[in-house]
Amino acid sequence: VLETEVLQQPKLNGPTTSSGGDYDPYVCGLSPAMKQVAKEELHEDENIRRQALAQFREWIDKHPHIRKCRTDAVFLLRFLRTKKFSVPAACEMLERYLTIRQLFPQWFQQLDINDPAINEIFENGYLVPLPQRDATGRQVLFSVAAKFDPYKFSSVQMARVHSLICEALLDDEDSQVAGYVYINDESGMNMGFVSLWSLTDLRSIVKCIQNSTPMRHKETHFVNIPHYANRIIELGVSMLSDKLKKRIIVHKNVDILKTKIDPAILPKEYGGTVPIADMIAEFKAKLLKRRAAILALDDMQIEVTKDAANFAGNDIGDIDAGVVGSFRKLEVD
């Protein structure tokens, strides 16, 4: 059995031993309202949290293939809260998370806001976390297809922007509990998007998102989908689990979206109060502040076994024309 180096955030430099006294004491960062949600929805209380963290750390310490891994409470709670404190399920998700980072480094490693392509895509306003949460305390990520140039940038660069922004958010404890909402304005989606993703890559990234990313995906809203983009989005949706498919809502226009989402939290250009440029500037400051911690995630290491590599998209069998023809039509409200 290989000795595991335990990485403590923010130093991420290990090694430490696995006795309980070597971990930084956890101070709960949840708001009072979120503590109540965590108890009701995730079965979380101080006792369960303490026991789960101890079991999780022991599992990491004894894992034959994990070489280095963050073991601070906030990092491990990403997985425990996503999996409602089922320690075995959280362990499996962490293993997958570490594995996809190494199987697909082009999507998940060296995530840096100072990378010129990432910075340009972000500053153009393609994907912006809204500063205000929704009515139930969820973080909303707002995406504008028109702000991504598929003739200048690749699917890899698109994925890297998503990965960077998610990593900047994942240690936020209220979001770990409340989950995430996605709003996608597809009005500017042009024909360049049709050939942006290969079927193999689309299948792999969808699998990574739903099986290996420690986020509670609560709702995904699509607005203004052009007719020629329906098939692409339907194909992506067809690869989702039934649970996530049921959380997709399609709106003909922004006015209908506003009946589901409080317009006040949207960018000013969509009926809110804060201009999207201000939202970008505010979140960029957060990305710069978190830059070292996000890059330090690349220090984590797992030995990727053949079995572990299989779950990441190599075991699904090719999607033939018959299957592609049978995916669920999007229902528009």
Side-chain angles (χ1 to χ4, degrees):
V1 174
L2 295 155
E3 198 161 311
T4 302
E5 272 190 290
V6 176
L7 298 169
Q8 290 282 127
Q9 175 72 0
K11 295 189 288 287
L12 284 179
N13 58 0
T16 70
T17 63
S18 59
S19 63
D22 289 322
Y23 297 104
D24 293 335
Y26 170 69
V27 178
C28 185
L30 294 175
S31 63
M34 280 304 150
K35 278 185 184 175
Q36 189 60 34
V37 174
K39 188 169 182 61
E40 290 171 4
E41 292 188 16
L42 311 180
H43 324 296
E44 177 178 349
D45 60 32
E46 284 188 30
N47 186 42
I48 285 170
R49 186 171 58 228
R50 186 177 64 251
Q51 291 182 48
L53 285 169
Q55 291 169 18
F56 207 166
R57 285 165 170 157
E58 183 181 7
W59 178 84
I60 292 169
D61 199 44
K62 293 178 177 176
H63 196 291
H65 302 299
I66 295 177
R67 301 274 201 274
K68 293 182 182 180
C69 185
R70 272 178 63 179
T71 55
D72 56 294
V74 169
F75 177 76
L76 298 182
L77 285 167
R78 296 178 174 192
F79 302 91
L80 289 167
R81 285 171 172 151
T82 299
K83 291 300 182 183
K84 299 186 178 180
F85 284 83
S86 162
V87 176
C91 290
E92 182 185 9
M93 178 167 261
L94 171 63
E95 197 172 47
R96 287 170 179 256
Y97 168 86
L98 294 174
T99 300
I100 63 166
R101 288 182 59 83
Q102 286 181 220
L103 284 179
F104 304 108
Q106 71 273 27
W107 292 337
F108 301 116
Q109 288 198 25
Q110 293 180 293
L111 303 173
D112 189 351
I113 188 56
N114 289 342
D115 175 300
I118 287 180
N119 184 59
E120 185 175 341
I121 294 166
F122 175 70
E123 291 207 331
N124 285 345
Y126 163 61
L127 183 64
V128 186
L130 302 185
Q132 282 184 270
R133 295 172 180 271
D134 75 359
T136 53
R138 300 175 297 194
Q139 172 70 62
V140 181
L141 286 96
F142 195 84
S143 173
V144 183
K147 301 296 185 182
F148 183 91
D149 182 351
Y151 301 107
K152 181 174 184 179
F153 300 110
S154 67
S155 62
V156 166
Q157 289 162 324
M158 175 186 276
R160 290 170 68 74
V161 171
H162 281 268
S163 297
L164 171 64
I165 288 173
C166 288
E167 285 294 357
L169 295 169
L170 287 178
D171 284 350
D172 183 288
E173 292 197 66
D174 280 1
S175 297
Q176 288 177 355
V177 171
Y180 294 84
V181 172
Y182 310 90
I183 300 174
N184 305 284
D185 176 9
E186 307 293 12
S187 56
M189 185 184 272
N190 58 42
M191 294 304 286
F193 282 80
V194 176
S195 55
L196 194 62
W197 286 88
S198 72
L199 191 58
T200 303
D201 281 351
L202 186 64
R203 191 171 54 192
S204 292
I205 197 94
V206 167
K207 205 166 187 196
C208 289
I209 290 165
Q210 70 178 358
N211 296 339
S212 313
T213 308
M215 302 173 80
R216 303 189 71 206
H217 306 289
K218 304 300 283 185
E219 286 178 6
T220 299
H221 298 262
F222 288 99
V223 192
N224 297 325
I225 303 176
H227 65 92
Y228 53 78
N230 265 327
R231 298 289 280 179
I232 314 168
I233 292 169
E234 283 170 357
L235 179 58
V237 168
S238 74
M239 299 174 184
L240 293 173
S241 67
D242 287 342
K243 183 169 89 171
L244 290 184
K245 280 178 186 167
K246 289 173 185 167
R247 294 179 179 180
I248 287 176
I249 307 155
V250 181
H251 310 283
K252 279 184 183 171
N253 54 50
V254 173
D255 286 338
I256 298 172
L257 170 73
K258 288 177 186 174
T259 65
K260 307 282 189 193
I261 300 280
D262 180 3
I265 72 170
L266 297 175
K268 187 175 183 180
E269 295 79 355
Y270 290 81
T273 55
V274 181
I276 204 160
D278 292 359
M279 295 180 175
I280 292 165
E282 183 183 325
F283 198 77
K284 183 167 181 183
K286 182 171 186 172
L287 289 171
L288 289 167
K289 186 178 176 183
R290 299 270 306 141
R291 180 175 177 265
I294 292 167
L295 287 169
L297 293 167
D298 295 352
D299 294 339
M300 297 191 292
Q301 291 177 357
I302 188 169
E303 181 189 345
V304 179
T305 62
K306 189 178 176 186
D307 285 346
N310 274 343
F311 77 77
N314 305 327
D315 61 336
I316 309 183
D318 290 325
I319 298 181
D320 61 27
V323 177
V324 171
S326 69
F327 47 74
R328 193 183 77 124
K329 287 276 184 286
L330 293 170
E331 294 166 19
V332 180
D333 71 5

